[in-house]
């Protein structure tokens, strides 16, 4: 297990893209900007009105994992930033956190201590033997790889999974998702209205907090968030390229983006209630919303141990 900076060697040579991604997370993404809040959480909706929905979406992952085992691999673990993430490995003896960012792993170690084993590595070239894990999760990570390496990453996650066990990969279809495309203009329109409303409120109350200006800049950024490299394949790509993976299924993790939530979900307009309706709908049509919504869970279940893939 590698944690000493001097000993850090990525198992495979890094492409420029991976180096940029690593530098981003080491210097920006996993910097704390508040009590246990990372810069990366800027891409999440942390408002109380959305909390229950986000919490329930996080817990969806546990339904698709075995509840116990020796080793759970968390590929691209980050710092294990949300409390729900701890649930995924609660029945496992060890959570093996692998990440390209050493800062992520240091933060993860602060969080889970001796329950964790920490490895600096690349999800497309896992430094583990096959069948090593009783469960695998990889959340919001594969889309950081260059397009041509993403298939290899899925194959690697599948290779290290042992028979009878399950893997959950949370991915994003980005602009390929129908719901993302049809809501883009309405979201922009809603943000314009919100900015107008904030300006009017500021005028009304000359003592109002300047934070509202920050808020509108923040919401504007959500429409075109900046950050580091991502590439998102579409649903057809997954079905075509991963067809050999046993037990492949695509179901919804969360159908709407953070921008959507910030634009349309507000306490005054019964936002919590609308999110209950959305969650209920996702539960009833997981495959459809996994396909047309923004964030799918790509699931595998390895039935039998097969010769090297
Ligand atoms: C968006 S964050 C997600 C972190 C965590 N899974 C979560 O959901 O909060 C992506 C993480 O993947 C890591 N990462 C990006 N490319 C990687 C690669 N090629 N191999 C391993 N980790 C990678 C980043 O360092 C970062 O910690």
């Amino acid at each position: 297990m590698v944690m000493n900076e001097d000993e850090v060697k990525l198992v495979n040579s890094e492409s420029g893209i991976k180096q940029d991604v690593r530098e981003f997370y080491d210097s920006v993404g996993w910097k704390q900007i508040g009590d246990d809040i990372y810069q990366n959480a800027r891409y999440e909706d942390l408002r109380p009105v959305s909390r229950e929905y986000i919490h329930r979406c996080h817990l969806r992952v546990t339904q698709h994992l075995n509840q116990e085992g020796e080793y759970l691999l968390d590929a691209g673990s980050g710092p294990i930033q949300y409390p729900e993430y701890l649930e995924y490995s609660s029945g496992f003896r060890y959570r093996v956190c692998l990440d390209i960012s050493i800062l992520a792993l240091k933060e993860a170690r602060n969080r889970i201590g001796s329950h964790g084993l920490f490895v600096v590595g690349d999800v497309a070239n896992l430094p583990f033997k096959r069948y090593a894990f009783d469960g695998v999760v990889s959340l919001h990570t594969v889309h950081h790889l260059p397009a041509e390496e993403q298939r290899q990453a899925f194959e690697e996650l599948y290779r290290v999974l042992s028979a009878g066990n399950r893997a959950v990969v949370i991915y994003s279809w980005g602009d390929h998702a129908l719901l993302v495309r049809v809501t883009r203009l309405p979201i922009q329109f809603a943000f314009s209205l919100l900015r107008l409303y904030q300006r009017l409120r500021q005028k009304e109350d000359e003592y109002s907090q300047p934070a509202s200006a920050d808020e509108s800049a923040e919401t504007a950024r959500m429409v075109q968030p900046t950050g580091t490299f991502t590439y998102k394949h579409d649903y057809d790509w997954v079905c075509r390229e991963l067809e050999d993976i046993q037990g492949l299924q695509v179901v919804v993790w969360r159908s709407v983006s953070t921008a959507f939530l910030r634009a349309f979900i507000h306490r005054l307009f019964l936002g919590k209630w609308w999110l209950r309706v959305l969650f209920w709908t996702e539960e009833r049509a997981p495959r459809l919303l996994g396909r047309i919504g923004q964030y799918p869970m790509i699931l595998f279940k390895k039935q039998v141990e097969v010769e090297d893939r």
Side-chain angles (χ1 to χ4, degrees), residues 18 21 25 30 40 74 76-78 81-82 85 98-101 104 121-123 139-141 144-145:
K18 288 183 196 169
V21 170
Y25 279 102
W30 299 132
N40 179 262
D74 185 349
S77 65
Q81 62 175 328
Y82 300 117
Y85 284 8
L98 173 133
D99 204 288
I100 205 170
S101 150
D122 176 7
V123 68
L139 319 172
H140 310 286
T141 295
H144 281 310
L145 288 168

Side-chain angles (χ1 to χ4, degrees), residues 10 17-18 21-26 30 40 43 58 74-82 85 95 98-102 104-105 119-126 137-146 149 153 170 228-229 253:
L10 289 180
I17 286 176
K18 288 183 196 169
V21 170
R22 180 163 61 96
E23 278 165 16
F24 171 80
Y25 279 102
D26 275 343
W30 299 132
N40 179 262
Y43 302 110
H58 281 313
D74 185 349
S77 65
I80 316 183
Q81 62 175 328
Y82 300 117
Y85 284 8
R95 184 183 191 120
L98 173 133
D99 204 288
I100 205 170
S101 150
I102 193 156
L105 295 174
V119 182
V120 175
D122 176 7
V123 68
N125 295 283
L126 294 175
V137 291
S138 184
L139 319 172
H140 310 286
T141 295
V142 175
H143 67 278
H144 281 310
L145 288 168
E149 286 190 47
I170 296 182
T228 185
F229 174 87
W253 175 67

Side-chain angles (χ1 to χ4, degrees), residues 60 62 68 79 82 100 169 179 186 221 234 245 269 284 286 290:
R60 277 193 170 124
T62 50
E68 51 184 38
Y82 300 117
I100 205 170
V169 180
L179 280 186
R221 272 202 297 272
D234 63 8
I245 287 186
F269 304 132
R284 256 115 216 110

Side-chain angles (χ1 to χ4, degrees), residues 36-85:
D36 271 350
I37 303 217
Y38 297 96
Q39 186 275 352
N40 179 262
R42 210 180 59 140
Y43 302 110
E44 186 50 283
D45 181 7
L46 302 176
R47 297 169 309 150
V49 67
S50 304
R51 199 167 287 153
E52 178 186 278
Y53 173 69
I54 305 267
H55 170 75
R56 293 172 86 191
C57 292
H58 281 313
L59 291 184
R60 277 193 170 124
V61 171
T62 50
Q63 296 166 14
H64 300 285
L65 282 176
N66 289 3
Q67 297 307 301
E68 51 184 38
E70 191 74 0
Y71 297 104
L72 176 82
L73 173 63
D74 185 349
S77 65
I80 316 183
Q81 62 175 328
Y82 300 117
E84 294 88 348
Y85 284 8

